[in-house]
Amino acid sequence: MKRRSYQALTAVLLLTVSAGLAAAEGGNPKKGKHLYKKHCKACHSQSSEAMELTPMSKTMAQWDRFFQRNKHKAKPEVFQGLSDQALKDIQQFLYDHAADSDQPATCG
């Protein structure tokens, strides 16, 4: 019985750690914040052409899906102008400060 409990606990811990790695592996959140402010915030702030969008606007899983599937459907050329590393950095910043993260933030 105890062995199964330990196995279950180990499985939960591995899933938790692997979920944390789902974000942009190799992304730099500090660079991502700078890039987000430079490339995203101009269109995604109050009184701008697109809806207001902050890291807290989505959960960590939603940010991962956005970068894996959506890729900025409304204006895909925005992503085409950024390197893969820049996109990883932005994704990591958004993921680290998502609504369900340990440090939700708005990107002041």
Side-chain angles (χ1 to χ4, degrees):
M1 181 73 170
K2 285 185 180 183
R3 183 177 172 112
R4 286 187 187 187
S5 295
Y6 288 121
Q7 288 174 338
L9 179 60
T10 301
V12 168
L13 288 173
L14 287 173
L15 286 172
T16 303
V17 170
S18 65
L21 297 175
E25 190 173 320
N28 181 326
K30 288 184 180 185
K31 288 182 181 179
K33 182 176 183 176
H34 170 75
L35 292 166
Y36 177 84
K37 285 182 174 184
K38 182 178 178 183
H39 295 283
C40 308
K41 198 168 179 179
C43 294
H44 289 290
S45 58
Q46 283 184 327
S47 306
S48 60
E49 66 181 82
M51 68 178 207
E52 182 176 17
L53 194 63
T54 70
M56 291 188 343
S57 298
K58 297 182 184 295
T59 64
M60 292 183 281
Q62 289 172 321
W63 280 121
D64 279 345
R65 279 193 303 275
F66 176 80
F67 280 87
Q68 290 168 1
R69 297 182 198 159
N70 184 297
K71 300 191 192 249
H72 212 290
K73 281 184 195 173
K75 212 172 184 182
E77 62 273 12
V78 171
F79 272 20
Q80 292 169 358
L82 295 168
S83 70
D84 288 343
Q85 185 61 50
L87 289 172
K88 285 180 185 180
D89 294 342
I90 293 169
Q91 180 182 1
Q92 190 67 58
F93 164 68
L94 294 170
Y95 182 92
D96 288 354
H97 299 289
D100 60 342
S101 70
D102 291 339
Q103 299 178 337
T106 60
C107 188

